[in-house]
Amino acid sequence: MQGLPPEESASIRAHLQTCVPCRTELAQVCGDLALLGLAVEQQPLPEGARERFLKRIAASPAVKPQEKLAEVTPIDVKTRRRGPGFWVPWVSAAAMAIVGDLSRCAKQSVE
């Protein structure tokens, strides 16, 4: 929510590049935190909270960043061919509509 000084923000970004669990947790709560930040009145952090957080980050073991290739989701571009039975209900509905219109026109012309 951009509430940290630039030097703290940079150290947290550097930590997030190497820590998979922290990145995962951040991704899970990011949307909720943004909504919460807009919905409530801002309150100052408790005294010493930043220091405890930075100590916790510093104490976590360094993990090499993992290069994970993007997962490919195949897209099925082939459409299934529909058999002749697919059109039967549509053709019957159209035929009934045409017959109904013709009979209504015939009645109006007789009157």
Side-chain angles (χ1 to χ4, degrees), residues 48-96:
R50 283 190 179 150
E51 291 77 19
R52 288 191 303 270
F53 181 69
L54 291 174
K55 283 181 186 177
R56 184 173 154 197
I57 288 174
S60 67
V63 179
K64 291 183 180 181
Q66 297 176 344
E67 277 193 38
K68 183 177 178 183
L69 299 175
E71 293 183 25
V72 177
T73 305
I75 299 174
D76 186 18
V77 292
K78 295 179 182 179
T79 58
R80 287 187 243 154
R81 293 190 61 96
R82 295 185 172 114
F86 173 78
W87 298 104
V88 171
W90 293 105
V91 171
S92 358
M96 289 186 337

Side-chain angles (χ1 to χ4, degrees), residues 5 10 42 47 91 97:
Q42 295 294 314
E47 210 169 301
V91 171

Side-chain angles (χ1 to χ4, degrees), residues 1-110:
M1 295 182 342
Q2 308 302 322
L4 296 174
E7 59 276 355
E8 287 183 33
S9 180
S11 68
I12 290 174
R13 276 193 223 122
H15 174 75
L16 288 172
Q17 289 178 349
T18 60
C19 183
V20 175
C22 288
R23 265 197 324 264
T24 303
E25 187 172 341
L26 178 64
Q28 290 173 349
V29 297
C30 190
D32 294 337
L33 285 177
L35 290 175
L36 182 64
L38 296 172
V40 298
E41 183 179 331
Q42 295 294 314
Q43 299 293 325
L45 287 175
E47 210 169 301
R50 283 190 179 150
E51 291 77 19
R52 288 191 303 270
F53 181 69
L54 291 174
K55 283 181 186 177
R56 184 173 154 197
I57 288 174
S60 67
V63 179
K64 291 183 180 181
Q66 297 176 344
E67 277 193 38
K68 183 177 178 183
L69 299 175
E71 293 183 25
V72 177
T73 305
I75 299 174
D76 186 18
V77 292
K78 295 179 182 179
T79 58
R80 287 187 243 154
R81 293 190 61 96
R82 295 185 172 114
F86 173 78
W87 298 104
V88 171
W90 293 105
V91 171
S92 358
M96 289 186 337
I98 292 170
V99 169
D101 283 344
L102 289 175
S103 64
R104 190 178 72 230
C105 288
K107 284 182 184 178
Q108 286 178 353
S109 65
V110 171

